[in-house]
PDB file of all heavy atoms in Angstrom:
ATOM      1  N   HIS A   1       0.845  -1.200   0.000  1.00 96.00           N
ATOM      2  CA  HIS A   1       0.000   0.000   0.000  1.00 96.00           C
ATOM      3  C   HIS A   1       0.878   1.246   0.000  1.00 96.00           C
ATOM      4  O   HIS A   1       0.599   2.213  -0.704  1.00 96.00           O
ATOM      5  CB  HIS A   1      -0.912   0.014   1.232  1.00 96.00           C
ATOM      6  CG  HIS A   1      -2.034  -0.968   1.175  1.00 96.00           C
ATOM      7  ND1 HIS A   1      -2.858  -1.182   2.246  1.00 96.00           N
ATOM      8  CD2 HIS A   1      -2.487  -1.791   0.203  1.00 96.00           C
ATOM      9  CE1 HIS A   1      -3.767  -2.089   1.930  1.00 96.00           C
ATOM     10  NE2 HIS A   1      -3.561  -2.479   0.698  1.00 96.00           N
ATOM     11  N   GLY A   2       1.954   1.232   0.799  1.00 95.00           N
ATOM     12  CA  GLY A   2       2.853   2.385   0.868  1.00 95.00           C
ATOM     13  C   GLY A   2       3.497   2.696  -0.468  1.00 95.00           C
ATOM     14  O   GLY A   2       3.580   3.858  -0.876  1.00 95.00           O
ATOM     15  N   GLU A   3       3.963   1.667  -1.155  1.00 96.00           N
ATOM     16  CA  GLU A   3       4.565   1.868  -2.481  1.00 96.00           C
ATOM     17  C   GLU A   3       3.529   2.419  -3.461  1.00 96.00           C
ATOM     18  O   GLU A   3       3.841   3.280  -4.284  1.00 96.00           O
ATOM     19  CB  GLU A   3       5.129   0.545  -3.011  1.00 96.00           C
ATOM     20  CG  GLU A   3       6.347   0.067  -2.248  1.00 96.00           C
ATOM     21  CD  GLU A   3       6.747  -1.348  -2.591  1.00 96.00           C
ATOM     22  OE1 GLU A   3       5.864  -2.224  -2.729  1.00 96.00           O
ATOM     23  OE2 GLU A   3       7.967  -1.579  -2.725  1.00 96.00           O
ATOM     24  N   PHE A   4       2.293   1.936  -3.338  1.00 96.00           N
ATOM     25  CA  PHE A   4       1.214   2.406  -4.205  1.00 96.00           C
ATOM     26  C   PHE A   4       0.909   3.879  -3.936  1.00 96.00           C
ATOM     27  O   PHE A   4       0.860   4.690  -4.861  1.00 96.00           O
ATOM     28  CB  PHE A   4      -0.027   1.542  -3.969  1.00 96.00           C
ATOM     29  CG  PHE A   4      -1.213   1.906  -4.810  1.00 96.00           C
ATOM     30  CD1 PHE A   4      -1.259   1.565  -6.149  1.00 96.00           C
ATOM     31  CD2 PHE A   4      -2.291   2.581  -4.256  1.00 96.00           C
ATOM     32  CE1 PHE A   4      -2.368   1.879  -6.930  1.00 96.00           C
ATOM     33  CE2 PHE A   4      -3.398   2.905  -5.022  1.00 96.00           C
ATOM     34  CZ  PHE A   4      -3.431   2.560  -6.361  1.00 96.00           C
ATOM     35  N   ILE A   5       0.754   4.235  -2.669  1.00 95.00           N
ATOM     36  CA  ILE A   5       0.438   5.620  -2.283  1.00 95.00           C
ATOM     37  C   ILE A   5       1.553   6.569  -2.708  1.00 95.00           C
ATOM     38  O   ILE A   5       1.301   7.651  -3.245  1.00 95.00           O
ATOM     39  CB  ILE A   5       0.202   5.724  -0.764  1.00 95.00           C
ATOM     40  CG1 ILE A   5      -1.080   4.990  -0.368  1.00 95.00           C
ATOM     41  CG2 ILE A   5       0.142   7.182  -0.311  1.00 95.00           C
ATOM     42  CD1 ILE A   5      -1.232   4.757   1.132  1.00 95.00           C
ATOM     43  N   ASP A   6       2.800   6.148  -2.477  1.00 95.00           N
ATOM     44  CA  ASP A   6       3.960   6.989  -2.803  1.00 95.00           C
ATOM     45  C   ASP A   6       4.382   6.889  -4.268  1.00 95.00           C
ATOM     46  O   ASP A   6       5.369   7.501  -4.662  1.00 95.00           O
ATOM     47  CB  ASP A   6       5.148   6.615  -1.908  1.00 95.00           C
ATOM     48  CG  ASP A   6       4.883   6.912  -0.451  1.00 95.00           C
ATOM     49  OD1 ASP A   6       4.004   7.745  -0.140  1.00 95.00           O
ATOM     50  OD2 ASP A   6       5.554   6.283   0.408  1.00 95.00           O
ATOM     51  N   ARG A   7       3.643   6.108  -5.056  1.00 94.00           N
ATOM     52  CA  ARG A   7       3.917   5.889  -6.480  1.00 94.00           C
ATOM     53  C   ARG A   7       5.342   5.395  -6.713  1.00 94.00           C
ATOM     54  O   ARG A   7       6.033   5.828  -7.647  1.00 94.00           O
ATOM     55  CB  ARG A   7       3.645   7.154  -7.286  1.00 94.00           C
ATOM     56  CG  ARG A   7       2.186   7.553  -7.237  1.00 94.00           C
ATOM     57  CD  ARG A   7       1.908   8.767  -8.041  1.00 94.00           C
ATOM     58  NE  ARG A   7       0.476   9.089  -7.947  1.00 94.00           N
ATOM     59  CZ  ARG A   7      -0.074  10.110  -8.537  1.00 94.00           C
ATOM     60  NH1 ARG A   7       0.634  10.924  -9.267  1.00 94.00           N
ATOM     61  NH2 ARG A   7      -1.368  10.334  -8.397  1.00 94.00           N
ATOM     62  N   LYS A   8       5.769   4.460  -5.867  1.00 93.00           N
ATOM     63  CA  LYS A   8       7.103   3.877  -5.990  1.00 93.00           C
ATOM     64  C   LYS A   8       7.045   2.638  -6.877  1.00 93.00           C
ATOM     65  O   LYS A   8       7.356   1.529  -6.465  1.00 93.00           O
ATOM     66  CB  LYS A   8       7.662   3.544  -4.612  1.00 93.00           C
ATOM     67  CG  LYS A   8       7.976   4.757  -3.792  1.00 93.00           C
ATOM     68  CD  LYS A   8       8.625   4.404  -2.486  1.00 93.00           C
ATOM     69  CE  LYS A   8       8.978   5.670  -1.728  1.00 93.00           C
ATOM     70  NZ  LYS A   8       9.565   5.373  -0.428  1.00 93.00           N
ATOM     71  N   TYR A   9       6.614   2.860  -8.083  1.00 92.00           N
ATOM     72  CA  TYR A   9       6.552   1.812  -9.091  1.00 92.00           C
ATOM     73  C   TYR A   9       6.670   2.499 -10.444  1.00 92.00           C
ATOM     74  O   TYR A   9       6.399   3.680 -10.575  1.00 92.00           O
ATOM     75  CB  TYR A   9       5.242   1.010  -9.003  1.00 92.00           C
ATOM     76  CG  TYR A   9       3.992   1.862  -9.106  1.00 92.00           C
ATOM     77  CD1 TYR A   9       3.457   2.213 -10.346  1.00 92.00           C
ATOM     78  CD2 TYR A   9       3.353   2.337  -7.963  1.00 92.00           C
ATOM     79  CE1 TYR A   9       2.324   3.006 -10.441  1.00 92.00           C
ATOM     80  CE2 TYR A   9       2.217   3.129  -8.053  1.00 92.00           C
ATOM     81  CZ  TYR A   9       1.710   3.457  -9.294  1.00 92.00           C
ATOM     82  OH  TYR A   9       0.589   4.246  -9.388  1.00 92.00           O
ATOM     83  N   SER A  10       7.095   1.752 -11.420  1.00 89.00           N
ATOM     84  CA  SER A  10       7.179   2.286 -12.771  1.00 89.00           C
ATOM     85  C   SER A  10       5.887   1.932 -13.497  1.00 89.00           C
ATOM     86  O   SER A  10       5.584   0.755 -13.689  1.00 89.00           O
ATOM     87  CB  SER A  10       8.378   1.680 -13.507  1.00 89.00           C
ATOM     88  OG  SER A  10       8.369   2.093 -14.851  1.00 89.00           O
ATOM     89  N   ALA A  11       5.119   2.914 -13.891  1.00 88.00           N
ATOM     90  CA  ALA A  11       3.833   2.682 -14.539  1.00 88.00           C
ATOM     91  C   ALA A  11       3.987   2.008 -15.901  1.00 88.00           C
ATOM     92  O   ALA A  11       3.068   1.334 -16.367  1.00 88.00           O
ATOM     93  CB  ALA A  11       3.070   3.998 -14.681  1.00 88.00           C
ATOM     94  N   LYS A  12       5.152   2.158 -16.499  1.00 89.00           N
ATOM     95  CA  LYS A  12       5.381   1.566 -17.817  1.00 89.00           C
ATOM     96  C   LYS A  12       5.258   0.048 -17.715  1.00 89.00           C
ATOM     97  O   LYS A  12       5.929  -0.588 -16.916  1.00 89.00           O
ATOM     98  CB  LYS A  12       6.758   1.946 -18.338  1.00 89.00           C
ATOM     99  CG  LYS A  12       7.034   1.465 -19.732  1.00 89.00           C
ATOM    100  CD  LYS A  12       8.394   1.919 -20.218  1.00 89.00           C
ATOM    101  CE  LYS A  12       8.616   1.417 -21.637  1.00 89.00           C
ATOM    102  NZ  LYS A  12       9.906   1.813 -22.152  1.00 89.00           N
ATOM    103  N   GLY A  13       4.384  -0.500 -18.507  1.00 85.00           N
ATOM    104  CA  GLY A  13       4.212  -1.949 -18.535  1.00 85.00           C
ATOM    105  C   GLY A  13       3.201  -2.502 -17.546  1.00 85.00           C
ATOM    106  O   GLY A  13       2.848  -3.667 -17.617  1.00 85.00           O
ATOM    107  N   ILE A  14       2.732  -1.683 -16.607  1.00 91.00           N
ATOM    108  CA  ILE A  14       1.734  -2.163 -15.651  1.00 91.00           C
ATOM    109  C   ILE A  14       0.361  -2.058 -16.297  1.00 91.00           C
ATOM    110  O   ILE A  14      -0.058  -0.984 -16.719  1.00 91.00           O
ATOM    111  CB  ILE A  14       1.780  -1.368 -14.326  1.00 91.00           C
ATOM    112  CG1 ILE A  14       3.116  -1.613 -13.614  1.00 91.00           C
ATOM    113  CG2 ILE A  14       0.609  -1.770 -13.428  1.00 91.00           C
ATOM    114  CD1 ILE A  14       3.260  -0.882 -12.296  1.00 91.00           C
ATOM    115  N   ARG A  15      -0.326  -3.185 -16.375  1.00 91.00           N
ATOM    116  CA  ARG A  15      -1.641  -3.232 -17.028  1.00 91.00           C
ATOM    117  C   ARG A  15      -2.768  -2.798 -16.112  1.00 91.00           C
ATOM    118  O   ARG A  15      -3.835  -2.418 -16.572  1.00 91.00           O
ATOM    119  CB  ARG A  15      -1.907  -4.646 -17.523  1.00 91.00           C
ATOM    120  CG  ARG A  15      -0.939  -5.062 -18.597  1.00 91.00           C
ATOM    121  CD  ARG A  15      -1.241  -6.442 -19.103  1.00 91.00           C
ATOM    122  NE  ARG A  15      -0.252  -6.792 -20.119  1.00 91.00           N
ATOM    123  CZ  ARG A  15      -0.043  -8.012 -20.525  1.00 91.00           C
ATOM    124  NH1 ARG A  15      -0.733  -9.011 -20.028  1.00 91.00           N
ATOM    125  NH2 ARG A  15       0.866  -8.247 -21.438  1.00 91.00           N
ATOM    126  N   GLY A  16      -2.541  -2.889 -14.813  1.00 95.00           N
ATOM    127  CA  GLY A  16      -3.579  -2.510 -13.860  1.00 95.00           C
ATOM    128  C   GLY A  16      -3.211  -2.971 -12.462  1.00 95.00           C
ATOM    129  O   GLY A  16      -2.188  -3.641 -12.263  1.00 95.00           O
ATOM    130  N   PHE A  17      -4.050  -2.605 -11.511  1.00 97.00           N
ATOM    131  CA  PHE A  17      -3.843  -2.976 -10.116  1.00 97.00           C
ATOM    132  C   PHE A  17      -5.045  -3.738  -9.582  1.00 97.00           C
ATOM    133  O   PHE A  17      -6.192  -3.474  -9.971  1.00 97.00           O
ATOM    134  CB  PHE A  17      -3.631  -1.730  -9.250  1.00 97.00           C
ATOM    135  CG  PHE A  17      -2.312  -1.042  -9.484  1.00 97.00           C
ATOM    136  CD1 PHE A  17      -2.263   0.194 -10.093  1.00 97.00           C
ATOM    137  CD2 PHE A  17      -1.119  -1.635  -9.094  1.00 97.00           C
ATOM    138  CE1 PHE A  17      -1.055   0.843 -10.316  1.00 97.00           C
ATOM    139  CE2 PHE A  17       0.093  -1.006  -9.316  1.00 97.00           C
ATOM    140  CZ  PHE A  17       0.128   0.235  -9.916  1.00 97.00           C
ATOM    141  N   LEU A  18      -4.780  -4.648  -8.667  1.00 96.00           N
ATOM    142  CA  LEU A  18      -5.792  -5.372  -7.910  1.00 96.00           C
ATOM    143  C   LEU A  18      -5.511  -5.063  -6.442  1.00 96.00           C
ATOM    144  O   LEU A  18      -4.443  -5.394  -5.932  1.00 96.00           O
ATOM    145  CB  LEU A  18      -5.685  -6.881  -8.175  1.00 96.00           C
ATOM    146  CG  LEU A  18      -5.903  -7.308  -9.626  1.00 96.00           C
ATOM    147  CD1 LEU A  18      -5.372  -8.716  -9.851  1.00 96.00           C
ATOM    148  CD2 LEU A  18      -7.376  -7.222  -9.975  1.00 96.00           C
ATOM    149  N   ILE A  19      -6.426  -4.380  -5.792  1.00 96.00           N
ATOM    150  CA  ILE A  19      -6.194  -3.917  -4.425  1.00 96.00           C
ATOM    151  C   ILE A  19      -6.690  -4.953  -3.419  1.00 96.00           C
ATOM    152  O   ILE A  19      -7.879  -5.266  -3.369  1.00 96.00           O
ATOM    153  CB  ILE A  19      -6.907  -2.568  -4.163  1.00 96.00           C
ATOM    154  CG1 ILE A  19      -6.583  -1.543  -5.259  1.00 96.00           C
ATOM    155  CG2 ILE A  19      -6.557  -2.043  -2.767  1.00 96.00           C
ATOM    156  CD1 ILE A  19      -5.138  -1.134  -5.352  1.00 96.00           C
ATOM    157  N   ASP A  20      -5.776  -5.484  -2.620  1.00 95.00           N
ATOM    158  CA  ASP A  20      -6.122  -6.406  -1.537  1.00 95.00           C
ATOM    159  C   ASP A  20      -6.312  -5.579  -0.273  1.00 95.00           C
ATOM    160  O   ASP A  20      -5.535  -4.660  -0.007  1.00 95.00           O
ATOM    161  CB  ASP A  20      -4.989  -7.420  -1.350  1.00 95.00           C
ATOM    162  CG  ASP A  20      -5.394  -8.636  -0.532  1.00 95.00           C
ATOM    163  OD1 ASP A  20      -6.602  -8.956  -0.488  1.00 95.00           O
ATOM    164  OD2 ASP A  20      -4.505  -9.271   0.054  1.00 95.00           O
ATOM    165  N   ASP A  21      -7.343  -5.892   0.484  1.00 92.00           N
ATOM    166  CA  ASP A  21      -7.654  -5.169   1.718  1.00 92.00           C
ATOM    167  C   ASP A  21      -7.808  -3.665   1.454  1.00 92.00           C
ATOM    168  O   ASP A  21      -7.145  -2.822   2.066  1.00 92.00           O
ATOM    169  CB  ASP A  21      -6.583  -5.419   2.790  1.00 92.00           C
ATOM    170  CG  ASP A  21      -6.511  -6.891   3.199  1.00 92.00           C
ATOM    171  OD1 ASP A  21      -7.577  -7.504   3.386  1.00 92.00           O
ATOM    172  OD2 ASP A  21      -5.389  -7.424   3.324  1.00 92.00           O
ATOM    173  N   ALA A  22      -8.708  -3.345   0.529  1.00 92.00           N
ATOM    174  CA  ALA A  22      -8.920  -1.950   0.117  1.00 92.00           C
ATOM    175  C   ALA A  22      -9.312  -1.054   1.285  1.00 92.00           C
ATOM    176  O   ALA A  22      -8.920   0.114   1.332  1.00 92.00           O
ATOM    177  CB  ALA A  22      -9.990  -1.881  -0.972  1.00 92.00           C
ATOM    178  N   GLU A  23     -10.065  -1.605   2.237  1.00 92.00           N
ATOM    179  CA  GLU A  23     -10.464  -0.798   3.392  1.00 92.00           C
ATOM    180  C   GLU A  23      -9.251  -0.349   4.197  1.00 92.00           C
ATOM    181  O   GLU A  23      -9.214   0.765   4.728  1.00 92.00           O
ATOM    182  CB  GLU A  23     -11.470  -1.557   4.272  1.00 92.00           C
ATOM    183  CG  GLU A  23     -10.937  -2.752   5.036  1.00 92.00           C
ATOM    184  CD  GLU A  23     -10.706  -4.018   4.208  1.00 92.00           C
ATOM    185  OE1 GLU A  23     -10.966  -4.032   2.999  1.00 92.00           O
ATOM    186  OE2 GLU A  23     -10.240  -5.001   4.802  1.00 92.00           O
ATOM    187  N   MET A  24      -8.222  -1.195   4.292  1.00 93.00           N
ATOM    188  CA  MET A  24      -6.992  -0.826   4.997  1.00 93.00           C
ATOM    189  C   MET A  24      -6.242   0.263   4.232  1.00 93.00           C
ATOM    190  O   MET A  24      -5.653   1.160   4.839  1.00 93.00           O
ATOM    191  CB  MET A  24      -6.113  -2.054   5.197  1.00 93.00           C
ATOM    192  CG  MET A  24      -6.703  -3.077   6.153  1.00 93.00           C
ATOM    193  SD  MET A  24      -5.747  -4.600   6.235  1.00 93.00           S
ATOM    194  CE  MET A  24      -4.299  -4.050   7.113  1.00 93.00           C
ATOM    195  N   LEU A  25      -6.252   0.185   2.908  1.00 96.00           N
ATOM    196  CA  LEU A  25      -5.602   1.213   2.083  1.00 96.00           C
ATOM    197  C   LEU A  25      -6.281   2.560   2.291  1.00 96.00           C
ATOM    198  O   LEU A  25      -5.609   3.576   2.501  1.00 96.00           O
ATOM    199  CB  LEU A  25      -5.633   0.814   0.612  1.00 96.00           C
ATOM    200  CG  LEU A  25      -5.093   1.846  -0.382  1.00 96.00           C
ATOM    201  CD1 LEU A  25      -3.632   2.172  -0.118  1.00 96.00           C
ATOM    202  CD2 LEU A  25      -5.284   1.353  -1.811  1.00 96.00           C
ATOM    203  N   LEU A  26      -7.597   2.580   2.258  1.00 95.00           N
ATOM    204  CA  LEU A  26      -8.324   3.837   2.469  1.00 95.00           C
ATOM    205  C   LEU A  26      -8.036   4.410   3.852  1.00 95.00           C
ATOM    206  O   LEU A  26      -7.854   5.619   4.010  1.00 95.00           O
ATOM    207  CB  LEU A  26      -9.822   3.628   2.279  1.00 95.00           C
ATOM    208  CG  LEU A  26     -10.259   3.342   0.845  1.00 95.00           C
ATOM    209  CD1 LEU A  26     -11.729   2.955   0.810  1.00 95.00           C
ATOM    210  CD2 LEU A  26      -9.996   4.538  -0.038  1.00 95.00           C
ATOM    211  N   GLN A  27      -7.990   3.544   4.870  1.00 94.00           N
ATOM    212  CA  GLN A  27      -7.715   4.029   6.221  1.00 94.00           C
ATOM    213  C   GLN A  27      -6.302   4.575   6.321  1.00 94.00           C
ATOM    214  O   GLN A  27      -6.062   5.578   6.992  1.00 94.00           O
ATOM    215  CB  GLN A  27      -7.929   2.911   7.252  1.00 94.00           C
ATOM    216  CG  GLN A  27      -7.894   3.412   8.679  1.00 94.00           C
ATOM    217  CD  GLN A  27      -8.919   4.499   8.951  1.00 94.00           C
ATOM    218  OE1 GLN A  27     -10.105   4.263   8.886  1.00 94.00           O
ATOM    219  NE2 GLN A  27      -8.447   5.700   9.236  1.00 94.00           N
ATOM    220  N   ARG A  28      -5.370   3.960   5.619  1.00 94.00           N
ATOM    221  CA  ARG A  28      -3.985   4.427   5.649  1.00 94.00           C
ATOM    222  C   ARG A  28      -3.847   5.814   5.024  1.00 94.00           C
ATOM    223  O   ARG A  28      -3.050   6.635   5.456  1.00 94.00           O
ATOM    224  CB  ARG A  28      -3.088   3.434   4.909  1.00 94.00           C
ATOM    225  CG  ARG A  28      -1.646   3.813   4.974  1.00 94.00           C
ATOM    226  CD  ARG A  28      -0.763   2.723   4.483  1.00 94.00           C
ATOM    227  NE  ARG A  28       0.623   3.148   4.649  1.00 94.00           N
ATOM    228  CZ  ARG A  28       1.644   2.382   4.423  1.00 94.00           C
ATOM    229  NH1 ARG A  28       1.458   1.142   4.051  1.00 94.00           N
ATOM    230  NH2 ARG A  28       2.858   2.842   4.582  1.00 94.00           N
ATOM    231  N   ILE A  29      -4.639   6.093   3.996  1.00 95.00           N
ATOM    232  CA  ILE A  29      -4.591   7.386   3.327  1.00 95.00           C
ATOM    233  C   ILE A  29      -5.139   8.487   4.228  1.00 95.00           C
ATOM    234  O   ILE A  29      -4.665   9.621   4.213  1.00 95.00           O
ATOM    235  CB  ILE A  29      -5.392   7.340   2.001  1.00 95.00           C
ATOM    236  CG1 ILE A  29      -4.703   6.429   0.997  1.00 95.00           C
ATOM    237  CG2 ILE A  29      -5.577   8.727   1.420  1.00 95.00           C
ATOM    238  CD1 ILE A  29      -5.542   6.110  -0.223  1.00 95.00           C
ATOM    239  N   SER A  30      -6.132   8.153   5.054  1.00 94.00           N
ATOM    240  CA  SER A  30      -6.815   9.153   5.880  1.00 94.00           C
ATOM    241  C   SER A  30      -6.197   9.285   7.264  1.00 94.00           C
ATOM    242  O   SER A  30      -5.742   8.311   7.855  1.00 94.00           O
ATOM    243  CB  SER A  30      -8.291   8.765   6.030  1.00 94.00           C
ATOM    244  OG  SER A  30      -8.945   9.674   6.877  1.00 94.00           O
ATOM    245  N   MET A  31      -6.227  10.493   7.790  1.00 93.00           N
ATOM    246  CA  MET A  31      -5.771  10.735   9.156  1.00 93.00           C
ATOM    247  C   MET A  31      -6.922  10.572  10.150  1.00 93.00           C
ATOM    248  O   MET A  31      -6.731  10.643  11.350  1.00 93.00           O
ATOM    249  CB  MET A  31      -5.182  12.147   9.257  1.00 93.00           C
ATOM    250  CG  MET A  31      -3.922  12.310   8.443  1.00 93.00           C
ATOM    251  SD  MET A  31      -3.299  14.008   8.361  1.00 93.00           S
ATOM    252  CE  MET A  31      -3.193  14.479  10.062  1.00 93.00           C
ATOM    253  N   VAL A  32      -8.124  10.357   9.649  1.00 96.00           N
ATOM    254  CA  VAL A  32      -9.322  10.224  10.470  1.00 96.00           C
ATOM    255  C   VAL A  32      -9.973   8.881  10.138  1.00 96.00           C
ATOM    256  O   VAL A  32      -9.854   8.378   9.016  1.00 96.00           O
ATOM    257  CB  VAL A  32     -10.301  11.392  10.177  1.00 96.00           C
ATOM    258  CG1 VAL A  32     -11.575  11.263  10.966  1.00 96.00           C
ATOM    259  CG2 VAL A  32      -9.617  12.733  10.443  1.00 96.00           C
ATOM    260  N   ASN A  33     -10.672   8.302  11.100  1.00 95.00           N
ATOM    261  CA  ASN A  33     -11.338   7.024  10.912  1.00 95.00           C
ATOM    262  C   ASN A  33     -12.284   7.052   9.706  1.00 95.00           C
ATOM    263  O   ASN A  33     -13.153   7.916   9.610  1.00 95.00           O
ATOM    264  CB  ASN A  33     -12.128   6.663  12.177  1.00 95.00           C
ATOM    265  CG  ASN A  33     -12.719   5.273  12.121  1.00 95.00           C
ATOM    266  OD1 ASN A  33     -12.141   4.371  11.540  1.00 95.00           O
ATOM    267  ND2 ASN A  33     -13.863   5.104  12.749  1.00 95.00           N
ATOM    268  N   VAL A  34     -12.101   6.114   8.776  1.00 93.00           N
ATOM    269  CA  VAL A  34     -13.007   5.972   7.643  1.00 93.00           C
ATOM    270  C   VAL A  34     -14.179   5.114   8.128  1.00 93.00           C
ATOM    271  O   VAL A  34     -13.991   3.964   8.487  1.00 93.00           O
ATOM    272  CB  VAL A  34     -12.310   5.316   6.427  1.00 93.00           C
ATOM    273  CG1 VAL A  34     -13.295   5.085   5.299  1.00 93.00           C
ATOM    274  CG2 VAL A  34     -11.142   6.174   5.969  1.00 93.00           C
ATOM    275  N   MET A  35     -15.372   5.682   8.138  1.00 93.00           N
ATOM    276  CA  MET A  35     -16.522   5.020   8.748  1.00 93.00           C
ATOM    277  C   MET A  35     -17.399   4.273   7.747  1.00 93.00           C
ATOM    278  O   MET A  35     -18.263   3.497   8.136  1.00 93.00           O
ATOM    279  CB  MET A  35     -17.332   6.034   9.534  1.00 93.00           C
ATOM    280  CG  MET A  35     -16.520   6.648  10.670  1.00 93.00           C
ATOM    281  SD  MET A  35     -17.369   7.947  11.554  1.00 93.00           S
ATOM    282  CE  MET A  35     -18.699   7.044  12.323  1.00 93.00           C
ATOM    283  N   GLY A  36     -17.194   4.463   6.472  1.00 90.00           N
ATOM    284  CA  GLY A  36     -17.988   3.763   5.479  1.00 90.00           C
ATOM    285  C   GLY A  36     -17.508   4.100   4.086  1.00 90.00           C
ATOM    286  O   GLY A  36     -16.799   5.084   3.879  1.00 90.00           O
TER     287      GLY A  36
END
């Protein structure tokens, strides 16, 4: 998630992303509790 948020990947050649535990990713982005 950190590499994704910080864009620490080369977009060239990447066909797409599959997000595992998306709720955890959203919570990591926010400084406040994500309630829904």
Side-chain angles (χ1 to χ4, degrees):
H1 287 173
E3 291 169 318
F4 181 75
I5 292 167
D6 295 339
R7 296 181 180 179
K8 291 185 177 178
Y9 56 85
S10 174
K12 184 178 181 180
I14 295 180
R15 295 182 181 163
F17 289 111
L18 299 163
I19 310 296
D20 196 24
D21 297 316
E23 69 284 359
M24 293 173 71
L25 175 61
L26 291 172
Q27 190 57 65
R28 183 169 183 174
I29 292 169
S30 177
M31 294 173 53
V32 178
N33 187 33
V34 176
M35 298 175 66

